[in-house]
Amino acid sequence: TSFREFLSLLRQSDFLLPVAVGGLAWAIMAMPMSICRVAMMSLGYTPRQSLTVIECHFLGMYAPGFVSGSFIKAKGVEKSIALSVVIFLAAPLIVVIFTKDDASSNNAGVAPWYIA
């Protein structure tokens, strides 16, 4: 009976939709991240530097999870969302401001792509 209950769970839309969205999100993230190190090395970065970028990406992706729950509990959902939107919009602006704009730079023209 537990196997039938498990199969019943797998057939429910409350289960299928989040699994499908999670799988799609993972695929969208994994494709560019898997080629990131190769692209960086073709631009002259060392393997260690490209690995550091991936490590920092994972740190930036998971570290907020250690404090977000207590922040939401202390400040509320609306303030948490507002802070998230501010950070989300500030990041590409910082890239645009601090990215070299000359054609000799390896990253010329990349920063505006982040905003799009």
Side-chain angles (χ1 to χ4, degrees):
T1 60
S2 63
F3 184 71
R4 287 184 184 168
E5 291 171 0
F6 178 70
L7 288 177
S8 173
L9 172 69
L10 293 179
R11 291 185 188 120
Q12 293 179 9
S13 63
D14 289 346
F15 176 79
L16 291 175
L17 183 61
V19 168
V21 170
L24 179 64
W26 180 86
I28 290 170
M29 183 226 28
M31 285 184 223
M33 291 304 295
S34 63
I35 198 68
C36 178
R37 292 192 68 199
V38 174
M40 287 184 68
M41 286 188 281
S42 72
L43 291 172
Y45 292 96
T46 66
R48 180 64 235 173
Q49 289 172 322
S50 65
L51 184 59
T52 300
V53 167
I54 302 296
E55 290 170 346
C56 289
H57 172 77
F58 286 134
L59 179 66
M61 205 168 62
Y62 290 110
F66 293 111
V67 296
S68 61
S70 58
F71 185 83
I72 292 169
K73 188 175 180 180
K75 302 295 181 184
V77 173
E78 291 82 12
K79 288 183 181 179
S80 300
I81 292 171
L83 178 64
S84 299
V85 169
V86 168
I87 292 171
F88 185 78
L89 295 175
L93 291 176
I94 291 169
V95 170
V96 169
I97 291 168
F98 291 105
T99 299
K100 292 181 182 179
D101 208 21
D102 61 345
S104 65
S105 173
N106 283 337
N107 57 3
V110 173
W113 179 82
Y114 286 118
I115 294 176

